[in-house]
Amino acid sequence: MCKVSVTEFRRHLFHYIERCSVEDVLITRRGKVIAVLSNPDKQYYRTLEDLCGCLKADLGDKSYDDLIGEAILEKQKQVL
């Protein structure tokens, strides 16, 4: 995670946009974090891992997307 002031962020905008593909960039004003620039794909999988902590570590050939799809189908069957 990288911390940068608003002024520094403005000066080197494209650098930090590229950098957010590797790590989150915290943007600060007067020492307080006011924004976070992050890669949406990484954030998606990080959130999934947090929420799906009860899943087995060995998913075999299934991805998290497959597991979510199966869970959605199960919910639909319960509704119908």
Side-chain angles (χ1 to χ4, degrees):
M1 212 174 286
C2 165
K3 257 187 182 179
V4 62
S5 69
V6 172
T7 306
E8 178 70 14
F9 180 74
R10 286 179 183 160
R11 283 187 192 137
H12 303 284
L13 176 65
F14 294 109
H15 167 77
Y16 290 109
I17 288 175
E18 288 179 11
R19 190 166 179 173
C20 80
S21 67
V22 178
E23 65 180 335
D24 291 345
V25 177
L26 302 176
I27 303 167
T28 64
R29 179 183 294 144
R30 296 186 178 135
K32 293 184 180 181
V33 176
I34 60 167
V36 178
L37 187 63
S38 67
N39 182 323
D41 291 335
K42 287 186 179 191
Q43 186 66 32
Y44 170 77
Y45 286 108
R46 193 177 313 136
T47 302
L48 271 180
E49 288 173 359
D50 291 346
L51 294 174
C52 300
C54 59
L55 296 175
K56 295 182 212 171
D58 179 25
L59 302 174
D61 60 347
K62 292 184 180 181
S63 69
Y64 284 119
D65 291 333
D66 294 335
L67 293 172
I68 290 171
E70 289 174 7
I72 291 171
L73 288 175
E74 284 296 317
K75 291 288 183 183
Q76 286 176 342
K77 287 178 186 176
Q78 291 174 1
V79 171
L80 297 175

